[in-house]
Amino acid sequence: MKNIDWNNLDFQYIETDIRFVSNYKNGSWDEGALIKDSTVTISECACVLQYAQTCFEGLKAYTTVDNRVVCFRPDLNAERMESSSKYLEMPPYPKEKFVNAIVDVVRANIDYVPPYGTGASLYIRPFMYGSNAVIGVKPALEYSFRIFTTPVGAYFKGGIKPIVIRISDFDRAAPHGTGHIKAGLNYAMSLHAIVDAHNKGYAENMYLDSATRTKVEETGGANFIFVTKDNTVVTPKSASILPSITRRSLMYVAENYLGLKTEEREIAKEELRDFKECALCGTAAVLSPVGKIDDHGNEIIYGSSMGEITKSLYDTLTGIQSGKIEAPKGWIRLIK
Ligand code: PLP
Ligand code: COI
């Protein structure tokens, strides 16, 4: 176990000992290896540097209440990365090898997995990029797939204290664009919007659909869930948001563990006032309650503590991840 202040970790990069690397050349992926070097050397003209040909994933490893180390639904991250790679004209990394590499890299950094009860976890970041020199606009011929790990605490400062967000005047994703995949470019174009939001005191941006600006989409790094006054859990349906694995899991938990009604449907901005709870969900965000949404000076207020249904969803999901509550079959991958 490393000498780290597990209880006070931020969501920040801490270099760990070992990472996984596999390279793609002449039409195939090599065997891949665990290596020590955390740096990358590539051509100044690499496709990733010139044309942002890169996608990534995010998942976490946890120490359970009975001291095992597990990760959550890595097969779904493998599948989503496959769809991201295909859309960016990159060669998919095989699903089974992806999951095995996750297990190997976490085992190799096992001393960095935060202990049970600290609220911290080991964040796992698989990513892929076009590495050879490309000057005309076309996909690379060579790629690297890498996975590093880093111990993290809560994504939003203050942990589960409700955050304040704003409705953004910037757009995140175009209809028929790249909003549904985890492309680095989606995050590059959100940087100005997030810096502007932070400068004005907001934790995140709520993006609306860019075609009509009337429907709720997601934030820069998480999906939304809402709770209606009659306790239905509602989440936006849109082809331009990232299909969150946390959200899919929460909707299952709502129906099958908590007996609640769920709906995935278009959500009009006008409806925001009708909901009684609002939260952001994602690997990094887990389930972070939203206390207030600022719509250009008009405030929509959900309250200063986590809502009742959000709390049940949060407790059940984190209970499943930490081994306190039995998981649906296939959700938990044992690492140690
Ligand atoms: N939406 C965006 C834009 C994200 O970056 C993330 C984080 O991965 C999510 C949603 C949540 O997805 P997941 O629950 O699979 O982590
Ligand atoms: C994740 O939740 O894994 C993400 O990639 C979101 C990012 C804002 C850290």
Side-chain angles (χ1 to χ4, degrees):
M1 178 75 44
K2 299 283 173 180
N3 184 19
I4 291 173
D5 184 4
W6 305 109
N7 289 296
N8 292 302
L9 282 173
D10 289 327
F11 199 89
Q12 269 177 23
Y13 177 72
I14 296 174
E15 189 181 317
T16 57
D17 296 339
I18 305 288
R19 60 276 306 125
F20 176 82
V21 184
S22 174
N23 294 310
Y24 181 92
K25 201 173 175 172
N26 299 326
S28 63
W29 289 103
D30 68 14
E31 266 309 289
L34 294 172
I35 62 160
K36 288 202 170 131
D37 190 359
S38 64
T39 64
V40 170
T41 304
I42 44 174
S43 164
E44 62 189 355
C45 196
C47 198
V48 59
L49 297 180
Q50 301 309 320
Y51 303 127
Q53 194 188 20
T54 178
C55 62
F56 69 100
E57 272 303 322
L59 65 162
K60 284 173 171 172
Y62 312 84
T63 303
T64 62
V65 63
D66 55 353
N67 220 27
R68 290 170 299 138
V69 173
V70 301
C71 72
F72 188 67
R73 312 191 79 177
D75 51 317
L76 298 187
N77 295 94
E79 283 170 15
R80 192 170 62 190
M81 188 140 178
E82 179 172 346
S83 70
S84 299
S85 337
K86 284 184 177 160
Y87 202 83
L88 294 170
E89 293 295 336
M90 305 165 89
Y93 194 73
K95 180 172 163 181
E96 199 179 318
K97 286 189 167 187
F98 178 106
V99 174
N100 290 339
I102 298 278
V103 172
D104 290 347
V105 81
V106 174
R107 276 192 191 138
N109 293 292
I110 205 84
D111 291 345
Y112 288 97
V113 184
Y116 173 78
T118 56
S121 54
L122 187 71
Y123 186 71
I124 307 165
R125 173 54 64 85
F127 64 110
M128 189 193 290
Y129 55 89
S131 55
N132 69 295
V134 164
I135 192 73
V137 178
K138 59 175 190 250
L141 292 170
E142 295 173 13
Y143 295 87
S144 288
F145 169 72
R146 297 177 68 111
I147 308 171
F148 68 78
T149 61
T150 190
V152 295
Y155 190 71
F156 295 107
K157 281 203 169 57
I160 56 170
K161 196 172 155 283
I163 55 171
V164 178
I165 65 172
R166 68 163 182 193
I167 295 187
S168 174
D169 287 328
F170 303 103
D171 292 326
R172 174 180 178 273
H176 316 291
T178 56
H180 63 297
I181 61 164
K182 213 161 163 59
L185 61 92
N186 292 338
Y187 300 81
M189 55 67 57
S190 77
L191 294 175
H192 177 62
I194 196 70
V195 169
D196 188 60
H198 287 167
N199 286 342
K200 292 175 177 149
Y202 305 101
E204 254 291 6
N205 288 297
M206 168 182 274
Y207 293 104
L208 302 177
D209 73 294
S210 57
T212 71
R213 292 180 160 253
T214 59
K215 287 171 279 185
V216 175
E217 294 241 301
E218 61 174 332
T219 66
N223 282 176
F224 280 105
I225 63 148
F226 300 94
V227 181
T228 65
K229 295 205 169 86
D230 62 357
N231 291 346
T232 300
V233 181
V234 186
T235 193
K237 187 181 179 76
S238 162
S240 49
I241 66 176
L242 192 76
S244 157
I245 294 161
T246 313
R247 163 169 103 151
R248 179 166 158 183
S249 307
L250 285 166
M251 297 305 265
Y252 183 92
V253 162
E255 270 181 39
N256 296 283
Y257 284 68
L258 305 176
L260 299 170
K261 251 182 71 188
T262 65
E263 284 173 5
E264 183 182 349
R265 60 166 170 84
E266 289 189 345
I267 296 176
K269 191 186 86 165
E270 263 59 54
E271 277 184 79
L272 288 172
R273 275 182 202 286
D274 302 339
F275 298 121
K276 66 172 184 182
E277 297 178 28
C278 169
L280 305 186
C281 64
T283 298
V286 191
L287 188 57
S288 301
V290 173
K292 187 159 84 181
I293 302 174
D294 187 339
D295 178 9
H296 305 89
N298 294 315
E299 295 187 335
I300 300 151
I301 294 172
Y302 298 106
S304 55
S305 60
M306 197 186 236
E308 188 195 342
I309 300 290
T310 305
K311 175 91 171 57
S312 312
L313 286 167
Y314 178 88
D315 288 345
T316 312
L317 180 73
T318 55
I320 288 170
Q321 290 166 338
S322 62
K324 285 192 293 189
I325 296 175
E326 193 177 339
K329 198 168 172 304
W331 279 24
I332 300 295
R333 174 74 193 225
L334 182 67
I335 291 174
K336 193 204 83 174

